Amino acid sequence: MTRSEFDDIRAAIADETNRVGDLLRIASTLLDDLEHVRMREAALRTYYLRLLTAARATVAAESAGAPEPLVFLKHELDEHGQLPADDETVQRILSDARTAAALLAALDQPTVPKRTGLRLRRCVGTSRTLPR
């Protein structure tokens, strides 16, 4: 659900002219959405766990000197249609990975606030004064 949909629901609930049936319909819709989100979350958690397990098995296989350590990861990616099919796809994926790494590195950089000089406060109205 988008933020505006939540705002619409809040407005509908707050509207005192609503009938009980309208509120029950909203509650039913929200419960359906909640159930859908929980199912999707469970599926994503399962996918993440399988991918994490495959990645750990790949690293362990490499450490153990297995002849094909990537077999676990390749299998998991292939099951979800995520293996690169051609050289163009490979180059795009590598480019995306480099861009993501650069963006994450930039996020880790501390930001220095820009100073534009003294900040002047304005008083509006006759009863306001500047703090000293």
Side-chain angles (χ1 to χ4, degrees), residues 64-112:
E68 290 189 48
L70 291 176
V71 69
F72 302 104
L73 200 51
K74 285 181 178 180
H75 172 74
E76 189 61 33
L77 292 174
D78 190 37
E79 278 197 11
H80 295 281
Q82 296 296 319
L83 277 177
D86 55 21
D87 188 51
E88 181 181 334
T89 306
V90 168
Q91 294 307 316
R92 184 179 45 78
I93 290 170
L94 292 174
S95 176
D96 289 348
R98 284 189 291 270
T99 302
L103 288 172
L104 289 174
L107 286 175
D108 289 338
Q109 298 290 328
T111 58
V112 179

Side-chain angles (χ1 to χ4, degrees), residues 53-73:
T53 302
R56 293 183 74 210
T58 298
V59 171
E62 182 186 40
S63 295
E68 290 189 48
L70 291 176
V71 69
F72 302 104
L73 200 51

